[in-house]
C-alpha cells in the first residue's frame, strides 16, 4: 500500500485524515481503518485456506474410497427407491391375481364337471366309438390348457422402459361393440362368376381361428376357402359341376367346420343331404332332408334345419343313420310359438338352446333345450323395416353375452338385439340397397373372428365384406 501526504476522506470513517490507498480495492483508508481492513482480508484468506484444506482432504478421501462419490450415493438412493416401488407393485399384482384366481378356478371346475357328467353318461349307456373318445380327449386337453394358461387373465410386460413395466390384464368383453361402417371387400366383388376371384350367390359362411373364410358358393355348387389376406380362393368341396355325385354339390346353403377332426360339413340343399368332406373324401351323413342351416354344439351334436318340414332336428355325433330328434318346430307351418314357417339358418348356444331364423314369419325364435315351444327374441310375425321388425332374416349368431346378430336380408342391414329388448339396432348397413362399402344387396351369411371383426356374405353383390370392430 502506498502512503500519501495529502489529507483525504477515509472510505470507512468518512473523516478528513491522512489516508492510505489499498491497491486491491483502490479505496482510501485512515491508518486505523486500514489496519481493520487488512485484518478482514487476512480472515478471508484464512477462510480460503481452510476451504482449500478441506477440499484437498475430500480429494484424498475420494481417492482412498471411491464408493463415497456423490453420484454413487445418488445411484444407491435411486436403487433403494426403485426396489421399494417394484416390491410394492409386485405385491399389488399378487393381490390382484389372488383376487381373480378363484373365479378362474371355478370356471375351469364347471367345465371339468360338465365333461365329467358326459363321461359318466357315456359309461352308463356303454355307447361310444372312436369319434366320441377323440372328442372327450380333445375337451380334456382344452380344459387342461385353459387351467395352465388362463385366457382371461395374463401378465404383460412393457419392454419400452429401462425396467420392464408389468401389467395385470383381466380380459373384459365389451357389451357395446361397434364397427366401422365402411366394409372391406375380402372375397369376390368382381361380378358374378366361377373364377377363383368370383362368387355366385354366397350364402352361409364360417370363419375359423386363423381367419380362414369358408363360403357356401350357392350357384357355383362349391365350397371355397379364402386364407387371410389372399387374392384368390381355393375350392375345397364340389366345383365339379352341379350334380349328385359324391364329389359334386347342388346349391349348398351352409357350411361349418368340425373342430374335432377339421372336416367340413355342408348343407347340400339341392341334393337334400348333409355331406362331410375330410381330406377330399366324402361321406353322406344325413340323406333325404330339405336342409338349409347347420350348427354344432359344444358336445358335438349336429343340428339341421328342414325348411320344408318346418323343423330343426338334432343328431348325436357319429350316429346319423336315424331320423334324429326334433328340437324345434315339427308342428306344421304356422306362426304359433310351437310352429315355424320356412326356417333357414340356426345357432346353438352353450345351454343347447336353439335360435332359428323363422324367415317367412320374419322373426328369430329361441327354443330352450327340451322346450315344447319357442319364444320370439327378434322381429315379429310381420315383415317391416322398423327397429322391432325383420324382413326375411337369414344367418344368426349369438355371443356369450346373449346378444343376437341377424342378417336382415330384405332390409339390407345387420341387426343386433340385446336380450330382453323389443327393438334391435342397426350395426352396419341400413343405407338402402346398393354396392357401396356401407351398403348391402341381400346380406345372407355372417360370422365373427376371435377379434370381434364382422364378416358378411353380401348375396347379390357377390362378395364377402369385413367390418373392423372399434371397441
Amino acid at each position: 500500500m502506498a502512503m500519501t501526504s495529502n489529507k483525504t476522506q477515509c472510505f470507512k470513517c468518512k473523516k478528513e485524515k491522512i489516508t492510505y490507498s489499498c491497491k486491491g480495492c483502490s479505496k482510501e483508508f485512515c491508518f486505523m481503518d486500514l489496519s481493520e481492513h487488512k485484518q478482514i482480508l487476512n480472515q478471508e484468506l484464512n477462510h480460503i485456506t481452510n476451504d482449500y484444506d478441506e477440499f484437498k482432504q475430500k480429494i484424498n478421501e475420494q481417492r482412498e474410497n471411491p464408493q463415497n462419490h456423490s453420484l454413487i450415493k445418488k445411484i444407491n438412493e435411486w436403487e433403494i427407491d426403485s426396489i421399494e416401488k417394484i416390491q410394492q407393485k409386485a405385491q399389488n399384482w399378487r393381490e390382484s391375481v389372488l383376487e381373480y384366481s378363484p373365479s378362474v378356478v371355478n370356471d375351469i371346475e364347471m367345465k371339468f364337471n360338465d365333461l365329467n357328467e358326459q363321461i359318466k353318461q357315456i359309461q352308463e349307456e356303454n355307447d361310444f366309438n372312436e369319434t366320441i373318445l377323440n372328442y372327450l380327449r380333445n375337451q380334456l386337453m382344452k380344459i387342461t390348457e385353459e387351467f395352465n394358461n388362463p385366457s382371461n387373465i395374463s401378465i404383460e410386460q412393457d419392454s419400452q422402459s429401462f425396467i420392464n413395466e408389468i401389467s395385470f390384464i383381466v380380459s373384459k368383453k365389451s357389451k357395446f361393440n361397434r364397427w366401422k361402417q365402411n366394409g372391406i371387400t375380402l372375397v369376390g366383388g368382381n361380378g358374378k362368376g366361377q373364377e377363383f376371384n368370383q362368387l355366385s350367390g354366397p350364402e352361409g359362411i364360417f370363419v375359423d381361428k386363423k381367419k380362414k373364410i369358408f363360403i357356401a358358393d350357392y350357384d357355383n355348387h362349391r365350397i371355397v376357402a379364402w386364407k387371410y389376406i389372399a387374392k384368390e380362393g381355393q375350392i375345397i368341396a364340389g366345383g365339379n359341376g352341379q350334380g349328385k355325385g359324391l364329389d359334386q354339390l347342388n346349391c349348398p346353403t351352409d357350411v361349418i367346420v368340425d373342430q374335432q377332426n377339421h372336416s367340413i360339413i355342408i348343407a347340400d340343399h339341392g341334393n337334400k343331404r348333409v355331406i362331410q368332406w375330410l381330406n377330399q373324401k366324402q361321406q353322406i351323413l344325413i340323406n333325404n332332408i330339405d336342409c338349409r342351416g347347420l350348427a354344432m354344439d359344444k358336445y358335438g351334436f349336429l343340428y339341421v334345419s328342414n325348411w320344408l318340414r318346418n323343423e330343426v332336428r338334432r343328431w348325436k355325433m357319429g350316429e346319423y343313420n336315424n331320423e334324429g330328434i326334433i328340437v324345434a318346430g315339427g308342428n306344421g307351418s304356422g306362426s304359433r310359438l310351437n310352429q315355424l314357417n320356412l326356417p333357414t339358418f340356426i345357432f346353438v348356444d352353450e345351454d343347447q338352446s336353439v335360435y332359428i331364423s323363422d324367415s317367412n314369419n320374419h322373426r328369430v325364435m329361441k327354443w330352450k333345450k327340451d322346450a315344447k315351444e319357442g319364444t320370439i327374441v327378434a322381429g315379429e310375425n310381420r315383415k317391416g323395416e322398423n327397429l322391432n321388425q325383420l324382413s326375411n332374416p337369414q344367418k344368426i349368431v349369438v355371443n356369450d353375452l346373449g346378444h343376437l346378430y341377424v342378417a336382415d336380408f330384405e332390409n339390407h342391414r345387420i341387426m343386433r338385439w340385446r336380450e330382453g329388448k323389443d327393438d334391435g339396432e342397426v350395426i352396419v348397413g341400413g343405407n338402402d340397397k346398393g354396392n357401396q362399402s356401407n351398403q348391402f344387396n341381400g346380406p345372407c351369411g355372417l360370422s365373427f373372428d376371435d377379434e370381434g371383426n364382422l364378416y358378411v356374405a353380401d348375396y347379390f353383390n357377390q362378395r364377402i365384406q369385413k367390418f373392423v370392430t372399434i371397441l
Side-chain angles (χ1 to χ4, degrees), residues 207-230:
V207 179
D208 69 9
K209 293 182 178 180
K210 296 181 179 180
K211 298 182 182 178
K212 190 175 185 179
I213 309 171
F214 298 81
I215 308 163
D217 195 6
Y218 185 88
D219 288 327
N220 281 328
H221 316 292
R222 66 188 183 184
I223 304 296
V224 294
W226 285 64
K227 293 182 179 179
Y228 186 54
I229 316 181

Side-chain angles (χ1 to χ4, degrees), residues 283-315:
Q283 177 186 2
I284 297 175
L285 302 182
I286 305 167
N287 230 329
N288 194 28
I289 181 171
D290 290 296
C291 52
R292 285 300 301 265
L294 303 173
M296 183 173 285
D297 67 20
K298 63 181 181 180
Y299 304 110
F301 286 98
L302 178 65
Y303 298 72
V304 185
S305 64
N306 188 323
W307 79 318
L308 292 185
R309 295 182 65 174
N310 299 295
E311 64 185 20
V312 177
R313 288 180 181 255
R314 182 184 72 192
W315 278 263

Side-chain angles (χ1 to χ4, degrees), residues 179 207 406:
W179 290 264
V207 179
V406 187

Side-chain angles (χ1 to χ4, degrees), residues 390-403:
L390 294 168
S391 184
N392 191 13
Q394 295 297 309
K395 191 76 173 185
I396 50 179
V397 172
V398 181
N399 67 13
D400 50 9
L401 294 171
H403 296 167

Side-chain angles (χ1 to χ4, degrees), residues 310-312 328-329 332-334 339-343 356 358 361 365 367:
N310 299 295
E311 64 185 20
V312 177
S333 175
Q339 292 180 306
L340 300 170
N341 190 350
L342 298 183
I356 307 115
D358 193 9
N361 281 326
M365 301 291 292
W367 286 61

